Amino acid sequence: MEKQTLILEKMITSLLSEKKYPSLRDILVTMNPSDIAGVFNELEQDRIPLLFRLLPKELAAETFVEMEPEAQELLIRGFSDSELKEVVDELYLDDAVDLVEEMPANVVRRILAQADPDTRKSINELLRYPENSAGSIMTTEYVTLRPAMTVGESILRIRRTGVDKETIYTCYVTNNRTLMGLVTVKDLLLAEDDDTPIREIMETHVISVNTQTDQEEVARMFAKYNFLAMPVVDAENRMVGIVTFDDAMDVMEEEATEDIEIMGGMSPSEKTYSRATVWDLFKQRIPWLLLLMVSATFTGMIITSFETALAAQVALTAFIPMLMDTGGNSGSQSSVTIIRALSLGELEFGDLPRVVWKEIRTAVCCGAVLAVVCFGKIMLVDKLLMGNDSITAGVALVVCLTLCVTVFVAKAVGCTLPMVAKKLGFDPAVMASPFLTTIVDALSLLVYFGIAKALLGL
Amino acid sequence: MEKQTLILEKMITSLLSEKKYPSLRDILVTMNPSDIAGVFNELEQDRIPLLFRLLPKELAAETFVEMEPEAQELLIRGFSDSELKEVVDELYLDDAVDLVEEMPANVVRRILAQADPDTRKSINELLRYPENSAGSIMTTEYVTLRPAMTVGESILRIRRTGVDKETIYTCYVTNNRTLMGLVTVKDLLLAEDDDTPIREIMETHVISVNTQTDQEEVARMFAKYNFLAMPVVDAENRMVGIVTFDDAMDVMEEEATEDIEIMGGMSPSEKTYSRATVWDLFKQRIPWLLLLMVSATFTGMIITSFETALAAQVALTAFIPMLMDTGGNSGSQSSVTIIRALSLGELEFGDLPRVVWKEIRTAVCCGAVLAVVCFGKIMLVDKLLMGNDSITAGVALVVCLTLCVTVFVAKAVGCTLPMVAKKLGFDPAVMASPFLTTIVDALSLLVYFGIAKALLGL
């Protein structure tokens, strides 16, 4: 919770207790809807409806959109039908769809009953698009113009119809619902002659997405092209909606969080940390921990099968953690880098040979430096300084050779796995450190004992 | 490299070889500047200047902004002074500043020499703001209005002065350079009466940032408030610039990448994977690998000091990797979650007790389930199925108790370290898995041998 929200919350709580409603209203109208929603999320539940009713109609709707689903549900359950209708009427269509997706069935029925028939039809259409598709995050409230309209007529049309549109700054020129081009309000305002037809000033090379396009891809296009809004077309190239930059920003943030959670060995969650309960966190984390614990059985089996070798050369055991950790770290450096590049659309499967070649050269450099430093460290610190006599030059050599090979293997596997995962249709982020570590651990132990047997004759 | 870019690159290369310049020009003008820049980045260097000269002036400047610094430098070195002036004149101020920051000194001198005196002065002012501050990413090209202007006068002013502004959609109302309020073009266009003075329709509760505000904080505010542009004020509350949403998106993407790189045990890099050389990757990765390898000396020392215990109970060695990995994974789940929440501004240091309490309860649940499953697995798979007689119920108990304690410690340390790092002014992301693993490894081994000594009497 942010400091500022904390102060506001205290102020608002005390004004509420003292029933100073006019002052409360005066404070609330100076605030941004996001900030008001932030305070609402921290308030005791029974105070929320009272405070909400103090907000002017438009600010109330804007605040409602920014609130957590729990608080939204609470409010709706307390609303009279006419209050609910007031809020629903003020919502942009994409926000209404988000709301309907979050609420339980009986609340959804009440919301849809209060929406006017056109809105209800549009909401139902938008709900049919697959989750995380462009269709599911778009809104159908945008300004359309005809190619034959003049600049002056277009400005008039915007002034007449713009009030309910999510953005008026990019206007789409359509003919029989087919997207012909776009003009911005900047183009219109800066046009030299009000009588110029739109067809002469419109941009005709319009970049659009399909209703089925993944929302991550849509967000990536926003970041690349710096658009305010992106038109969404259906399979017949008819324009059906727009995605606005603010929704793209939310998607960027969500997708980065999801990647980070998966890379950290967790199932992704839609809830923020503060909203997640212990049970949510447990469910998110335990499957991975169990899977990784059980798969570590292999490393245990490898060690068990080399028990006699380890008993003969006790010094070898002490280096197992260092070798495993360095292998894991080397591998995760590569996998994390590749996963991010895949997420940003910078790499594709076809780049695999180029990536592997780059990683292999990096691995050789890293492995060589690590091995040399490690050899020096073992001989100077572990043997001389700590006086561990069981460490011989042979043991040091085995450790350093293993280090080289492990780093090489870890980086090769670390860069390949995410790209192969992507090709096979899995989320590349799954191939990050926790999963990779298990593979690299087993491989590095096999290499270790193999080299030890060969060089030390165990 | 994206498939589409690949196809375009082939097409453009073949048209270039065949010297079909008019067709090339026809193709290029249909493309978005970002896509043209994408093709340029893949072309052979000597073809870039030729292709660039085919672009119409405005498109040339827009494409130039999207190109990689290497290609930009190449072009500038080949430009005549008048060509350079043409490009520099078309750049928005913040893009010019970005360019100057990337180029070597002699190129910068040429750029500044070609800029007109006002632009040169503004560039130099913007360069003085600290790196990654709001001042360093803002532009000074925005529309200002006076409180006494009418709606009609304001629209006229926008039409007259808007052409060089990065955005005209949010206009700032100032008095003696002090920020009084803002109006959007939507407000102006939808206003019912052209004679209404701006002071009556402007939004006066304006959220702004300071020139010194960190860019990460600025990006966070964009994501929260859905602004198109954010005003930047100096220490005396005078308006000095705006940050636009496209720059905020770039910052969001950069900061997420930086966090992910640091969490993956690397120094953050400004270069994309494709641009980074093997030497760049090596420099980014080797310091962490060395540091973590050397710090793994502790785990080695701990194992060495328990050599006799391990020799007496050889079965104990086989579980070391599983215990270390599970500890590492549990810890990184917590640290990664907390690091992301800190990055998104969701948590602050004051939340530490609440966070630790939540993590501890989660740890108890996870630890208990893991321990029970692990006990079953050891007794059924390792002992019965694999017939490993050195495994006793005592050993299984030691392993499972250690598992419980390790998960507990790992989650407690994993959630605390990032928050403490943030409080001390370090980047919390440094406290992610690679660093944490080293600490958790050592702790889990100490717990393991401690419990083994106590229970098995070694």
Side-chain angles (χ1 to χ4, degrees):
Chain A
M1 179 185 356
E2 288 171 57
K3 213 169 289 167
Q4 195 199 0
T5 317
L6 208 68
I7 299 168
L8 279 168
E9 192 212 324
K10 275 194 190 147
M11 191 163 76
I12 288 171
T13 322
S14 80
L15 285 173
L16 261 175
S17 334
E18 294 161 26
K19 299 201 166 54
K20 295 193 170 156
Y21 302 130
S23 315
L24 259 176
R25 198 188 153 98
D26 288 345
I27 292 174
L28 289 171
V29 295
T30 71
M31 287 171 65
N32 184 289
S34 298
D35 291 323
I36 303 179
V39 172
F40 271 59
N41 291 334
E42 302 295 333
L43 275 187
E44 281 168 54
Q45 291 214 334
D46 56 343
R47 292 167 181 271
I48 294 180
L50 177 61
L51 201 57
F52 189 82
R53 291 196 171 95
L54 286 175
L55 296 173
K57 206 170 78 176
E58 199 180 331
L59 185 60
E62 285 168 10
T63 303
F64 185 80
V65 170
E66 302 287 336
M67 290 167 71
E68 301 285 3
E70 290 81 2
Q72 288 176 332
E73 191 180 334
L74 184 92
L75 275 177
I76 296 180
R77 291 192 186 278
F79 279 161
S80 69
D81 281 351
S82 66
E83 278 176 318
L84 180 57
K85 188 172 172 47
E86 264 185 14
V87 170
V88 172
D89 282 350
E90 288 283 330
L91 292 184
Y92 286 122
L93 206 55
D94 54 344
D95 294 326
V97 171
D98 286 348
L99 180 67
V100 164
E101 279 173 340
E102 292 279 357
M103 293 298 115
N106 55 347
V107 176
V108 169
R109 267 194 300 276
R110 274 197 65 206
I111 295 173
L112 290 181
Q114 294 311 319
D116 64 63
D118 277 356
T119 310
R120 187 160 54 234
K121 189 160 157 274
S122 303
I123 291 176
N124 279 323
E125 271 169 20
L126 289 179
L127 282 172
R128 275 200 292 274
Y129 292 108
E131 210 187 346
N132 299 335
S133 68
S136 75
I137 55 169
M138 74 186 185
T139 180
T140 51
E141 294 150 322
Y142 52 89
V143 179
T144 51
L145 303 174
R146 307 252 163 264
M149 281 180 173
T150 64
V151 167
E153 286 166 354
S154 300
I155 293 179
L156 263 180
R157 182 174 161 86
I158 295 172
R159 298 185 84 154
R160 222 176 41 238
T161 66
V163 65
D164 287 327
K165 309 301 181 188
E166 187 156 348
T167 184
I168 62 163
Y169 299 137
T170 311
C171 305
Y172 298 91
V173 188
T174 57
N175 195 358
N176 275 329
R177 288 189 64 205
T178 305
L179 180 58
M180 314 291 288
L182 63 80
V183 277
T184 64
V185 164
K186 190 172 178 178
D187 297 334
L188 293 175
L189 285 182
L190 303 185
E192 268 154 39
D193 184 356
D194 269 6
D195 295 328
T196 313
I198 290 299
R199 95 158 50 79
E200 285 178 22
I201 61 163
M202 71 182 181
E203 166 68 48
T204 51
H205 308 291
V206 181
I207 293 174
S208 62
V209 293
N210 193 278
T211 49
Q212 308 291 319
T213 309
D214 191 87
Q215 61 173 6
E216 198 174 351
E217 173 67 23
V218 177
R220 225 158 30 214
M221 290 174 75
F222 268 92
K224 182 173 173 186
Y225 296 122
N226 301 336
F227 290 154
L228 267 175
M230 173 91 76
V232 184
V233 298
D234 67 10
E236 280 80 41
N237 206 32
R238 284 175 312 211
M239 179 150 179
V240 289
I242 57 169
V243 177
T244 47
F245 76 97
D246 51 318
D247 297 313
M249 272 193 184
D250 291 345
V251 171
M252 274 171 74
E253 201 174 277
E254 271 170 38
E255 296 283 344
T257 303
E258 197 180 302
D259 274 4
I260 289 173
E261 285 177 329
I262 298 175
M263 285 192 223
M266 284 168 282
S267 317
S269 153
E270 301 238 316
K271 291 192 184 172
T272 60
Y273 187 75
S274 305
R275 282 176 61 214
T277 61
V278 169
W279 176 240
D280 290 330
L281 293 180
F282 173 76
K283 278 188 301 180
Q284 205 188 348
R285 296 178 184 182
I286 193 73
W288 286 97
L289 289 177
L290 280 174
L291 179 73
L292 295 167
M293 183 193 75
V294 172
S295 61
T297 308
F298 294 107
T299 51
M301 280 163 54
I302 295 171
I303 292 186
T304 307
S305 67
F306 288 94
E307 237 166 33
T308 41
L310 282 176
Q313 271 288 1
V314 279
L316 288 179
T317 311
F319 296 104
I320 290 179
M322 186 275 287
L323 288 171
M324 282 179 19
D325 283 351
T326 308
N329 290 334
S330 305
S332 71
Q333 286 181 335
S334 302
S335 65
V336 159
T337 307
I338 301 302
I339 292 165
R340 183 63 181 163
L342 287 169
S343 275
L344 295 181
E346 204 205 315
L347 291 178
E348 293 202 343
F349 187 71
D351 299 310
L352 186 60
R354 195 163 61 82
V355 168
V356 172
W357 175 228
K358 201 178 231 178
E359 287 298 319
I360 282 180
R361 284 176 294 161
T362 310
V364 170
C365 300
C366 288
V369 171
L370 285 172
V372 170
V373 173
C374 186
F375 192 85
K377 194 219 79 169
I378 293 178
M379 297 308 281
L380 287 175
V381 179
D382 298 344
K383 188 169 173 64
L384 270 177
L385 212 68
M386 319 286 290
N388 189 338
D389 292 330
S390 59
I391 294 173
T392 60
V395 169
L397 193 66
V398 169
V399 172
C400 296
L401 275 179
T402 307
L403 202 54
C404 257
V405 178
T406 301
V407 170
F408 186 87
V409 171
K411 289 216 175 282
V413 175
C415 72
T416 310
L417 277 185
M419 299 188 84
V420 172
K422 171 113 187 189
K423 181 75 183 173
L424 298 178
F426 297 107
D427 188 333
V430 172
M431 299 301 167
S433 46
F435 188 83
L436 185 70
T437 302
T438 309
I439 298 177
V440 171
D441 279 357
L443 291 176
S444 62
L445 284 175
L446 285 175
V447 171
Y448 191 34
F449 294 126
I451 294 180
K453 280 195 150 180
L455 285 192
L456 302 178
L458 297 172
Chain B
M1 177 183 5
E2 287 171 57
K3 212 169 289 168
Q4 196 199 2
T5 318
L6 208 68
I7 299 169
L8 279 169
E9 193 213 324
K10 276 196 190 146
M11 189 165 76
I12 288 172
T13 322
S14 79
L15 285 174
L16 260 177
S17 333
E18 294 161 27
K19 298 201 167 53
K20 295 194 170 154
Y21 301 130
S23 315
L24 259 177
R25 198 187 153 98
D26 287 346
I27 292 173
L28 289 171
V29 295
T30 71
M31 288 171 63
N32 185 288
S34 298
D35 290 325
I36 305 179
V39 173
F40 272 60
N41 291 334
E42 302 295 334
L43 276 187
E44 281 167 53
Q45 290 214 335
D46 54 345
R47 291 167 180 272
I48 295 179
L50 177 62
L51 202 58
F52 189 81
R53 290 195 172 95
L54 287 175
L55 299 172
K57 206 171 77 175
E58 200 179 329
L59 185 61
E62 285 169 9
T63 303
F64 186 81
V65 170
E66 301 288 336
M67 290 165 72
E68 300 284 2
E70 290 80 2
Q72 289 176 333
E73 190 181 335
L74 184 92
L75 275 178
I76 296 181
R77 290 192 187 278
F79 279 162
S80 67
D81 280 352
S82 66
E83 279 177 319
L84 181 58
K85 189 172 171 48
E86 264 184 15
V87 170
V88 171
D89 282 351
E90 288 283 331
L91 293 183
Y92 287 122
L93 207 54
D94 53 344
D95 294 326
V97 170
D98 286 348
L99 180 66
V100 164
E101 278 173 339
E102 292 278 358
M103 293 296 117
N106 55 348
V107 176
V108 168
R109 267 194 301 276
R110 275 195 65 205
I111 296 172
L112 291 180
Q114 294 310 319
D116 64 63
D118 277 356
T119 310
R120 189 160 54 233
K121 190 161 156 277
S122 301
I123 291 176
N124 279 320
E125 270 169 20
L126 289 178
L127 282 172
R128 276 201 291 275
Y129 291 109
E131 211 186 345
N132 300 335
S133 68
S136 75
I137 55 168
M138 73 186 185
T139 181
T140 52
E141 295 150 323
Y142 52 90
V143 179
T144 51
L145 303 172
R146 308 252 162 264
M149 282 179 171
T150 65
V151 167
E153 286 166 353
S154 300
I155 293 180
L156 263 180
R157 181 175 160 85
I158 294 172
R159 299 185 82 154
R160 224 175 41 238
T161 66
V163 65
D164 289 325
K165 308 302 183 189
E166 187 156 350
T167 183
I168 62 163
Y169 300 136
T170 312
C171 306
Y172 297 91
V173 187
T174 56
N175 196 358
N176 275 330
R177 291 188 60 207
T178 305
L179 180 59
M180 313 292 288
L182 63 81
V183 278
T184 64
V185 164
K186 190 171 179 177
D187 297 334
L188 292 175
L189 285 181
L190 303 185
E192 268 152 40
D193 183 356
D194 269 4
D195 295 327
T196 313
I198 291 300
R199 101 158 44 81
E200 286 178 20
I201 61 163
M202 71 183 181
E203 166 68 48
T204 50
H205 308 289
V206 181
I207 292 175
S208 62
V209 293
N210 193 278
T211 51
Q212 307 291 319
T213 308
D214 191 87
Q215 61 173 5
E216 199 174 351
E217 172 67 23
V218 178
R220 221 149 44 206
M221 290 173 75
F222 267 92
K224 182 172 173 187
Y225 295 121
N226 301 337
F227 290 155
L228 268 176
M230 174 91 76
V232 183
V233 296
D234 66 11
E236 280 80 41
N237 207 30
R238 283 174 313 210
M239 178 150 179
V240 288
I242 57 168
V243 176
T244 48
F245 75 98
D246 52 318
D247 297 313
M249 271 193 184
D250 291 344
V251 170
M252 274 172 75
E253 201 174 276
E254 270 169 41
E255 297 281 345
T257 303
E258 196 180 302
D259 273 5
I260 288 173
E261 286 178 328
I262 299 176
M263 284 191 224
M266 284 167 283
S267 317
S269 153
E270 300 238 316
K271 292 192 183 171
T272 60
Y273 186 75
S274 306
R275 281 175 60 214
T277 61
V278 169
W279 176 240
D280 289 329
L281 293 179
F282 174 76
K283 277 187 303 181
Q284 205 189 345
R285 296 176 184 184
I286 193 72
W288 285 97
L289 289 178
L290 279 173
L291 179 73
L292 295 167
M293 183 194 74
V294 171
S295 62
T297 308
F298 294 107
T299 51
M301 281 162 54
I302 294 171
I303 291 186
T304 307
S305 67
F306 287 93
E307 238 165 31
T308 41
L310 282 176
Q313 272 287 0
V314 279
L316 288 180
T317 311
F319 296 104
I320 290 179
M322 185 274 287
L323 288 172
M324 284 179 18
D325 282 351
T326 308
N329 290 334
S330 305
S332 72
Q333 286 181 336
S334 302
S335 66
V336 158
T337 308
I338 302 302
I339 292 167
R340 184 62 182 163
L342 287 169
S343 274
L344 295 180
E346 204 205 315
L347 292 176
E348 293 201 342
F349 187 71
D351 299 310
L352 187 59
R354 195 164 61 82
V355 167
V356 172
W357 175 228
K358 200 179 234 177
E359 288 297 320
I360 282 180
R361 283 177 295 161
T362 310
V364 170
C365 301
C366 288
V369 172
L370 285 172
V372 170
V373 174
C374 186
F375 192 86
K377 194 219 81 169
I378 293 178
M379 297 308 283
L380 288 174
V381 180
D382 299 343
K383 191 169 170 62
L384 271 176
L385 213 67
M386 319 285 292
N388 189 338
D389 292 330
S390 59
I391 295 173
T392 60
V395 168
L397 193 65
V398 169
V399 171
C400 296
L401 275 179
T402 308
L403 203 53
C404 257
V405 178
T406 300
V407 170
F408 186 87
V409 171
K411 288 216 175 282
V413 175
C415 70
T416 310
L417 277 185
M419 299 187 85
V420 172
K422 171 114 186 187
K423 181 76 184 172
L424 297 178
F426 297 109
D427 188 333
V430 173
M431 298 303 167
S433 46
F435 187 83
L436 185 70
T437 301
T438 309
I439 297 176
V440 171
D441 280 357
L443 291 176
S444 62
L445 284 175
L446 284 175
V447 171
Y448 191 34
F449 295 126
I451 294 180
K453 278 195 151 180
L455 285 192
L456 304 177
L458 298 173

